[in-house]
């Protein structure tokens, strides 16, 4: 079945007792045992599994192309999912992280993993040769993000996965911006795909969740044991909301991408805009690579003003259709300021070293009328 069909039907069969089309929300924290002390179904306790969460895990595995024996693992947040991967590492082992990633990933690596004895290192994943050269014998995990947050840089996933495997490291990728609708990292050689389901998978800014999808049953078993022990599981209601959102993921991502392309092209010609970052633009440095490994370019556009924080905040005060806030991926359009939001954990020096200028604005382009969105940004940019 095609992606759009699987998004609606995978893991979401009609209820056998009621024929309900929409999956049920199973809120029970415990499930019955028989007289021999054995669970009467595949479920026994909510931390270990739940029917609603199980339906979501089957659906996500199908969308990412994982085998049936590897349902996804759904977490209480995207950061919890990232931490689930990091907890596989042991003191003295090393994680190599793409330098242009979500600020929360860096915060987690530096404040939690590093004090636990995990060596953390960073390299430019866009420069494949430099990144491969940074893989050392004790590197056990490579963490990628493509497209990256907030500069929309694109990583050659297949090449870096192959080289990391040659060195004996696992490869994980944050594919939140692309979603399974636009990118298939497992097919490109990645071992672990991470999504913040709070964003595009849910799509309506009303839930918190994360997910890991793998293709190796043994790797999934390792991650599952860590998840059971730490308890960072998605709630039944958040799982149900995510399933509801996924049903419209394919058409939503098409409109997100179309609107973002229109806004990026408009911003290119605005006199106040110094640079536009969007992989759908022909002048994006990795446009050709993005075209090869993605089926669309997504709904995130970043652009730089000739100005400082005050200039950005003035634009934020003037928007009306866009909401000024820190998240992304909803049906509504959002304007955010990475220096105060997604990358606030980094110092100004660190942000500048990564190319995150004080005048950088990130747009999560929604599914409203593109003309209305352009008019709103145009009004906000008026001198």
């Amino acid at each position: 079945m095609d992606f759009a069909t699987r998004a609606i039907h995978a893991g979401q069969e009609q209820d056998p007792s009621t024929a309900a089309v929409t999956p049920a929300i199973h809120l029970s924290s415990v499930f019955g045992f028989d007289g021999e002390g054995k669970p009467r179904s595949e479920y026994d306790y909510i931390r270990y599994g739940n029917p609603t969460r199980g339906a979501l895990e089957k659906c996500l595995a199908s969308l990412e192309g994982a085998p049936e024996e590897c349902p996804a693992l759904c977490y209480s947040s995207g950061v919890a999912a990232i931490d689930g991967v990091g907890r596989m590492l042991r003191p003295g082992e090393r994680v190599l992280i793409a330098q242009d990633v979500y600020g929360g990933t860096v915060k987690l690596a530096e404040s939690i993993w590093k004090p636990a004895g995990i060596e953390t290192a960073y390299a430019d994943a866009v420069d494949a040769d430099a990144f491969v050269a940074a893989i050392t014998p004790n590197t056990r995990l490579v963490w990628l993000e493509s497209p990256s947050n907030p500069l929309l840089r694109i990583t050659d996933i297949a090449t870096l996965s192959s080289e990391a495997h040659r060195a004996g490291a696992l490869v994980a990728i944050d594919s939140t911006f692309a979603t399974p609708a636009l990118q298939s990292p497992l097919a490109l050689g990645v071992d672990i795909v991470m999504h913040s389901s709070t964003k595009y998978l849910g799509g309506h800014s009303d839930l918190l969740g994360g997910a890991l999808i793998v293709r190796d049953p043994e790797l999934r078993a390792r991650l599952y044991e860590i998840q059971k022990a730490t308890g960072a599981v998605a709630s039944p209601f958040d799982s149900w909301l995510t399933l509801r959102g996924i049903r419209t993921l394919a058409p939503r991502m098409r409109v997100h991408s179309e609107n973002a392309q229109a806004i990026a092209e408009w911003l290119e010609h605005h006199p106040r805009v110094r640079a536009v970052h969007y992989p759908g633009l022909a002048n994006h440095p990795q446009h050709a690579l993005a075209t090869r490994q993605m089926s669309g370019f997504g709904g995130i556009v970043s652009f730089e003003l000739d100005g400082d924080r005050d200039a950005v905040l003035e634009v934020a005060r003037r928007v009306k259709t866009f909401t000024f806030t820190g998240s992304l991926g909803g049906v509504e359009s959002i304007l955010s300021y990475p220096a105060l939001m997604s990358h606030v954990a980094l110092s100004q020096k660190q942000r500048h070293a990564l190319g995150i200028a004080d005048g950088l604005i990130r747009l999560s382009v929604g599914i409203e009328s593109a003309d209305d969105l352009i008019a709103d940004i145009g009004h906000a940019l008026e001198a």
Side-chain angles (χ1 to χ4, degrees):
M1 290 189 292
D2 287 344
F3 180 91
T5 305
R6 285 181 283 125
I8 295 172
H9 294 285
Q12 303 173 73
E13 296 79 11
Q14 290 185 11
D15 186 288
S17 61
T18 67
V21 173
T22 302
I25 306 174
H26 293 272
L27 297 175
S28 182
S29 59
V30 293
F31 301 85
F33 285 62
D34 62 21
E36 301 297 321
K38 298 179 180 179
R40 293 170 57 191
S41 72
E42 61 181 294
Y43 303 102
D44 55 6
Y45 183 57
I46 192 170
R47 180 155 51 92
Y48 305 152
N50 170 273
T52 311
R53 192 167 85 235
L56 173 60
E57 291 174 338
K58 290 177 183 177
C59 183
L60 285 174
S62 175
L63 298 185
E64 284 290 1
E68 289 187 8
E69 62 269 25
C70 284
L73 294 167
C74 290
Y75 291 77
S76 52
S77 70
V79 170
I82 298 170
D83 190 45
V85 178
R87 286 179 182 270
M88 291 193 298
L89 300 175
R90 296 291 177 263
E93 295 181 337
R94 182 176 184 264
V95 55
L96 178 61
I97 303 171
Q99 67 179 19
D100 186 22
V101 298
Y102 168 53
T105 303
V106 177
K107 177 70 172 178
L108 180 65
E110 294 301 310
S111 64
I112 303 298
W113 298 349
K114 193 171 183 178
I118 308 303
E119 182 183 344
T120 59
Y122 303 85
D124 183 0
V126 174
D127 185 340
D129 291 338
F131 194 83
V132 170
I135 301 175
T136 59
N138 67 327
T139 301
R140 293 293 175 266
L141 175 67
V142 165
W143 187 271
L144 306 175
E145 184 175 304
S146 185
S148 69
N149 184 2
L151 295 177
L152 286 302
R153 302 172 84 205
I154 306 298
T155 296
D156 188 338
I157 299 170
T159 295
L160 294 189
S161 295
S162 176
E163 293 299 325
H165 291 156
R166 194 189 310 275
L170 288 172
V171 180
I173 188 169
D174 183 339
S175 194
T176 297
F177 278 17
T179 82
L182 304 181
Q183 185 167 269
S184 300
L186 293 183
L188 295 171
V190 167
D191 300 293
I192 305 169
V193 180
M194 194 288 296
H195 292 286
S196 171
S197 48
T198 310
K199 312 303 192 299
Y200 286 109
L201 297 183
H204 293 78
S205 302
D206 57 7
L207 66 91
L208 181 66
L212 298 178
I213 305 96
V214 305
R215 53 185 171 169
D216 177 17
E218 291 186 7
L219 176 58
R220 186 193 186 277
R222 289 175 63 193
L223 290 165
Y224 178 56
E225 288 303 313
I226 293 170
Q227 186 186 40
K228 282 203 304 181
T230 59
V233 298
S235 73
F237 189 52
D238 281 337
S239 297
W240 184 86
L241 286 173
T242 307
L243 274 171
R244 181 204 60 178
I246 286 174
R247 287 182 163 213
T248 60
L249 181 63
R252 280 192 291 109
M253 292 310 298
R254 182 169 60 250
V255 179
H256 282 303
S257 297
E258 291 171 353
N259 283 356
Q261 183 76 35
I263 289 175
E265 291 175 358
W266 180 84
L267 285 168
E268 276 193 302
H269 303 288
H270 197 282
R272 289 194 62 193
V273 176
R274 185 174 63 190
V276 182
H277 307 284
Y278 186 66
L281 296 176
N283 62 3
H284 186 282
Q286 295 94 44
H287 174 70
L289 174 60
T291 301
R292 289 199 305 272
Q293 68 183 25
M294 301 177 71
S295 59
F297 303 112
I300 305 297
V301 177
S302 292
F303 66 97
E304 298 176 34
L305 295 179
D306 279 321
D308 56 10
R309 177 176 298 192
D310 290 339
V312 172
L313 294 179
E314 179 60 29
V315 171
R317 282 190 287 266
R318 293 172 63 88
V319 292
K320 299 184 183 302
T321 305
F322 281 82
T323 298
F324 183 38
T325 189
S327 193
L328 60 99
V331 292
E332 69 288 330
S333 291
I334 290 172
L335 182 149
S336 67
Y337 186 35
L340 290 179
M341 295 172 176
S342 63
H343 289 70
V344 68
L346 305 183
S347 67
Q348 184 184 58
K349 182 179 179 180
Q350 289 173 313
R351 290 194 302 271
H352 286 184
L354 295 175
I356 303 173
D358 291 340
L360 183 73
I361 293 173
R362 189 189 71 192
L363 302 179
S364 174
V365 181
I367 63 171
E368 305 96 333
S369 160
D371 289 341
D372 289 339
L373 296 176
I374 289 172
D376 190 40
I377 291 293
H379 168 75
L381 290 175
E382 289 177 359

